[in-house]
Amino acid sequence: MTATVRPDPTAGGSGGTVARPVPSAGAGGAAGPPDRAPGATDRTAGAGSRRRWWRRRGAAVSGCSVLLAVSVAGHERLPRLPGRLSSLAETLLPWSASAVPVLVAVALLRRAPVAAAVALLVPAAAWLAVFGGVPADKSSPGGELTVVSHNVHQANPDPGGTVRSLLAAGADVLALEELSPATAPAYERALAEAYPYHFYQGTVGLWSVHPLRGARAVPIMPWTRAMRATVDAPGGRLAVYVAHLPSVRVGPTGFTAGARDEALGLLAAQVRAEPVRRVVVMGDLNGSTDDRALRPLTDRLVSAQAAGAGFGFTWPARLPVVRIDQILLGGVRATSAWTLPATASDHLPVAARIDLSPDPAP
């Protein structure tokens, strides 16, 4: 910087002058910037960029929270995803609540308190709207018939222990799935004293303290994995279906549930054509009642677990995370429902107490 002497009109006397510093022009003739610490502007710009990045992160968390809430509350209206991933998501829908603490933690790490509040409140409200009443015990007194269903597992190492556990439940009607040519006769002998009436074919069977009529296999697969019989219960006739739908897998192409869905459609067609108005469908359906793929049945029948407490998860038996073993009712209602203690199977047995109102059929 150079000093240039210029006249100062405020100075005393004519022609008085004082020396004032005037910024020198740069090479292009323009005045140069004021003195600053090197890199100060860069640091300011960097801080602003970081703040914008944090804000964007908070917006992303809020967006994910709202999307989660919409997916839970309106899962039935969402479009089908490729690879039947919609069915997989709905099967695990109760566990969507586990995403809430993750979203809240991310928002707090981003120092985004508003996003944290959104992540906590919005998905939680949606989850409670759908599942809030599930944990409560909804059982009531009454009921004339106890039904039990159990996938006993083909490789069950202790069929005798499984039978003892099932007998302790005091079921009037007992459905078994995943029987095999080697184990079915053993179950038949062990249950004969308590259940004078029974029918089994293929991998499914039904045992009853009341007479069975019209017992037959139901063709849903190339081999027998479903059956139907009429139980002459004291309160009237009851059509009982026992089914074991094909297994599902999660693979590179998505949720491989095509065989299950096809067999389910055939089973649902049989149930729709059932002449007896009071119907019970029991068995391992390899699907949750939240799964849209089960609508051919769940649009007409109600889960007995609606009269129970909690979600009634059944699989895997050691640490159940999903209910795929079902008792579905039409024309009757459950007064209570529960899961039985674990056996040597990889599934928990399910039970329900049923109120048999008079049969409306003539």
Side-chain angles (χ1 to χ4, degrees), residues 16 37 55 90 105 111 115 143 152 251 277 300 326 362:
R55 286 195 293 269
E90 289 173 326
R111 299 179 183 177
V152 294
R277 297 192 183 184
R300 303 174 62 88
Q326 309 291 350

Side-chain angles (χ1 to χ4, degrees), residues 196-327:
Y197 308 98
H198 75 277
F199 173 87
Y200 74 85
Q201 189 168 337
T203 66
V204 292
L206 187 67
W207 280 258
S208 174
V209 299
H210 305 298
L212 299 179
R213 293 189 296 109
R216 59 176 175 83
V218 174
I220 63 171
M221 295 178 66
W223 59 96
T224 302
R225 285 180 56 150
M227 59 154 292
R228 179 258 182 220
T230 300
V231 178
D232 281 337
R237 296 179 301 159
L238 185 70
V240 177
Y241 289 78
V242 183
H244 183 192
L245 298 184
S247 299
V248 295
R249 297 286 187 271
V250 181
T253 59
F255 196 44
T256 56
R260 180 204 64 181
D261 296 350
E262 183 179 352
L264 176 69
L266 295 172
L267 175 63
Q270 293 279 334
V271 173
R272 285 195 298 269
E274 174 57 53
V276 178
R277 297 192 183 184
R278 296 186 299 179
V279 178
V280 176
V281 176
M282 297 192 286
D284 176 4
L285 302 187
N286 271 306
S288 160
T289 52
D290 292 315
D291 184 350
R292 65 185 64 192
L294 267 64
R295 286 180 189 170
L297 284 177
T298 55
D299 280 350
R300 303 174 62 88
L301 306 175
V302 177
S303 172
Q305 187 59 28
F311 291 96
F313 294 146
T314 62
W315 182 88
R318 290 186 178 181
L319 185 63
V321 297
V322 64
R323 182 181 178 91
I324 59 176
D325 301 272
Q326 309 291 350
I327 298 175

Side-chain angles (χ1 to χ4, degrees), residues 34-99:
D35 289 341
R36 60 177 175 84
T41 301
D42 293 341
R43 286 196 298 269
T44 302
S49 177
R50 285 193 295 272
R51 284 193 295 271
R52 288 192 297 272
W53 184 80
W54 287 115
R55 286 195 293 269
R56 286 198 301 269
R57 287 292 182 172
V61 172
S62 297
C64 290
S65 302
V66 172
L67 179 60
L68 175 62
V70 171
S71 299
V72 172
H75 68 94
E76 295 182 347
R77 298 177 179 86
L78 294 178
R80 293 180 181 272
L81 298 176
R84 290 186 172 84
L85 293 179
S86 303
S87 285
L88 177 61
E90 289 173 326
T91 298
L92 301 174
L93 197 63
W95 294 98
S96 59
S98 61

